[in-house]
Amino acid sequence: MTMLKYTAAALAMLPFTAFAQTAEDEIVVTASGFAQPRSETGQAIDIVDRDRLEQLQSATINEALQTVPGVSIATRGGLGGQSSAFLRGGSSAQTLVLIDGVRINDLTSPNGAFDFGALMTGNIGRVEILRGPNAVIWGSQAIGGVVNVQSIAPVDGFEGRFGAEYGAYDTKRVNANLAGSSGRLEGSVGGSFVSSGGISALAGGTERDGYDNLTGNARLKVHVADNLDLDFRSYYNRATVEYDSAFGVGANALPVSRNRQFVGYVGANFDLLDGRLKNRIAYTRTDIKRVGTDPVVFSFNNFNVRGAIDRAEYHAAFDVNETLTLVAGAEYERSFASTAFEGAAPDIARNHVGSGFGQVILRPVAGLTLTAGVRHDAYDDYGEQTSFGGNVAFTPNEGRTMFRATYGEGFRAPTLTEGQPPYGNPDLKPETARNFDLGVEHQFIEGKAQVFATYFNRRSNDLIAFSSISFQSENIDKVTATGLEAGLSLNPTDHLDIRASYTRVDAINRSAGANFGKRQTLRPQHSMSLTADWQTPFGLSVGSSLLWIGDSFDNAANSLRLNSYALVGLRASMPLTDALEVYSRIDNLLGADYTVVAGYNSFGRNATIGVRAKF
C-alpha cells in the first residue's frame, strides 16, 4: 500500500492532462460512428496503433489493453485460454467488441461476452478503446465501453510486412500482410499462424494444454466515382484450444474446443451536397461456431454450438454548416443460435431488433463542441429500450488543455440463452446503466509532456444473474462503479518515450442480500502500468514494462482473495537494414508467482526472439 499511496500522491500533484496514445489530432470513429477529431468529443478514448504494438512487442491484444487505463484482463490459463476484458469495472458481457466495425460478441455464450483469448496482434493495425457507455451509437452491450479492433488498412503505393518469432513453451508465430493502392483500387490482405505447446490451464496439472490459431484478414475499397466507394472487409479465425475443466477430470483433463469466427462486411460510402452529406450503407455478417470434444462423457465439454448475426445498417452525417453536424442511422439485426450438449438435440433461438438513432454535434464557438443523442431499440421478444447520451469537449488554448464531460446511458439486452426457453426467462428486462465522467487533459513543455485524469461514476440496474430460487436468470443485481483514471507521458527527446497510467475502480455490489457492499469478482481496485522505451544512438532500442495489479476477489462473498502482483518485462530490437529488424523480449522477468483467476495457472519467466521486415 505504501507504493500505491506515493504513486497516487504523485499523480495528484500533476496538472491533469492527456495521454500520449491519444494525441489531439487523432481521428476516432467510436464516438459517433463516423471519423471525427478526438478533440471534438467529450468521451474518453484511447488508441493503440501498429507502431505502439511493435514497440511493446505485444503478441496478444490482451497485453496491449493492459497498458490502457480503466481496462483489466482476466485470462484462465495460458495462451488461448478464455480471456475477459473488464472496462471500468463492468462485466465482460458489458464490453462491446468490433472487428473492422462489425460486432463479434459471442451470442452462443451464456452472457454474450467476447473471448479475447483468440485475438492475436499479427495483422492488427489499430485498436480504439472507448471507455464508458455509448448506447446511442452502438446499442446493446456498450456499457463498460467499446473495443474496436481494426486490421492493417490499405496504404498509398505498396507495403509489405512480415514477422516470425519463437519463444518459451515451444511457441511459434508467423504473420504477413500486403497493402497498397492502384488506380481506383486499394486493399490489404494478410494472415497469421500461432502454435504453442502451452502450460496446464488448471494449477497442479502435468499435462500441457496446447493452442493453435490461424487468422486471415482482407480489405478492399473500390473508388467507383469521386463521391462513391464500395467497401469490402473480412476476418476469419480458426483456433484449437486444449483446456482443463472442473466438469471433466481436473487439471489433467483432455477436452478440446475447435472454434471458428468469421466477419464479413459489404458496404458503400457516398457523399452528396458537395461532400456535406456523408452516407454509409452496409450489410454485415458474424458467424461463430464452436465444437467441443472430451473423452469424459456427460462432462458438458462435448458440445456443438453455432451463432450468426445478420445486420443491415444505414448511417448518415450531415454538415449543415461549420457549427452544426447531424448524425442519424437506422439498423436491423437478426440473430440465431443453436446449442447442443452431449449429443442431445440442439436448442435453437432467434431474435430480431430494429433500431434508430440521432445525434446533434454543435460547435457554437471555437474550441467548444457539444454533442447530444438518442436511440430507440425494439426487440421482438424483450420489448423496447430508449437510451440518451451527451458530452462536452472544450479547449481554451487550441488543444493544449482539454476539458471533457460525458453523460451516457447503456443497456444490455438479454442473450438468447438468458431470455428464451428452454433455459431462459422470457420476462427478463435489459440491464441498464447511467454514467457520467469528468476529465481534464493538458500538454506542456511544448507538447513533450502530457498528463490526464478522469473521474467516472456508473450505476447499473436490473443486472441479469442466476436465481437459486427460480433456477433461471432474473433481473436481481445492482452495481455501482466509481473510479479515477490518471496518467502521463513524457517525450523529452525524439528517442525516449515514457508512459504511465493508474486506475482505481470501486465496483460494488448494491443488490439486497448477504453480498451487499462487496466488490465485484476479478475487478482489482487498483492497477498501474509503466513503460519506458529508448532508442540508442547506434540504433538499438531497449524498453521495459511494469504492470502492477492490486488485490481482487474471485467470489461474490469476497472470501476468496487474489493477492496483488507485479510483472516486469524487458525488450530490445535492432535494425539490421532499413527493412529488417531483429527483436527479443523477456516477460515476467522476475519470475513472479501470481494468480489471475483462482485455480488457474499463469506464465512464469519466458523469453522470445523474433524478426520482422517491412518493405
Side-chain angles (χ1 to χ4, degrees), residues 17-20 23 442-444 447-452 487-490:
T17 72
F19 205 42
H442 181 62
Q443 302 178 21
F444 54 101
K448 294 180 179 180
Q450 304 175 0
V451 292
F452 84 95
L488 66 97
S489 67
L490 300 173

Side-chain angles (χ1 to χ4, degrees), residues 134-391:
N134 191 4
V136 169
I137 300 299
W138 300 109
S140 178
Q141 292 190 285
I143 291 179
V146 179
V147 178
N148 185 17
V149 180
Q150 301 171 36
S151 59
I152 294 176
V155 298
D156 294 333
F158 176 80
E159 177 187 270
R161 293 174 180 264
F162 171 81
E165 64 178 48
Y166 181 80
Y169 313 105
D170 194 27
T171 301
K172 301 173 283 287
R173 302 174 188 271
V174 180
N175 64 273
N177 197 91
L178 297 176
S181 60
S182 177
R184 293 185 177 273
L185 301 178
E186 59 180 70
S188 176
V189 61
S192 67
F193 177 72
V194 177
S195 178
S196 177
I199 59 176
S200 176
L202 284 176
T206 57
E207 169 262 345
R208 290 188 175 186
D209 295 301
Y211 180 67
D212 290 326
N213 182 306
L214 177 66
T215 300
N217 58 278
R219 297 172 65 170
L220 174 65
K221 184 170 285 189
V222 182
H223 300 287
V224 179
D226 291 342
N227 65 335
L228 174 62
D229 295 332
L230 301 182
D231 194 357
F232 306 92
R233 313 170 197 168
S234 65
Y235 168 89
Y236 176 80
N237 176 268
R238 188 182 70 199
T240 300
V241 186
E242 298 175 0
Y243 65 102
D244 298 324
S245 170
F247 298 106
V249 294
N252 288 321
L254 299 173
V256 177
S257 181
R258 293 173 174 83
N259 308 328
R260 186 196 70 188
Q261 298 172 320
F262 170 78
V263 162
Y265 177 104
V266 178
N269 307 298
F270 56 98
D271 298 344
L272 301 173
L273 303 178
D274 296 325
R276 291 165 52 212
L277 176 58
K278 295 178 176 60
N279 303 269
R280 178 171 63 85
I281 187 169
Y283 163 75
T284 71
R285 169 82 173 185
T286 302
D287 199 301
I288 296 172
K289 185 176 182 179
R290 294 185 285 123
V291 178
T293 57
D294 189 347
V296 179
V297 182
F298 299 116
S299 65
F300 287 95
N301 295 321
N302 293 291
F303 56 82
N304 191 324
V305 300
R306 183 176 173 229
I309 302 174
D310 292 285
R311 185 180 181 89
E313 55 188 32
Y314 168 72
H315 291 186
F318 179 39
D319 293 323
V320 179
N321 50 45
E322 292 183 354
T323 63
L324 177 63
T325 299
L326 304 178
V327 178
E331 303 166 351
Y332 174 76
E333 180 179 291
R334 181 179 63 192
S335 57
F336 159 88
S338 170
T339 60
F341 290 90
E342 300 297 336
D347 297 315
I348 296 176
R350 293 180 172 86
N351 189 27
H352 303 259
V353 56
S355 310
F357 67 89
Q359 192 176 60
V360 177
I361 303 174
L362 181 64
R363 311 169 195 85
V365 296
L368 176 64
T369 304
L370 309 173
T371 302
V374 61
R375 180 188 184 95
H376 186 75
D377 295 88
Y379 288 81
D380 66 344
D381 51 0
Y382 309 133
E384 301 183 359
Q385 181 70 32
T386 301
S387 307
F388 297 90
N391 60 81

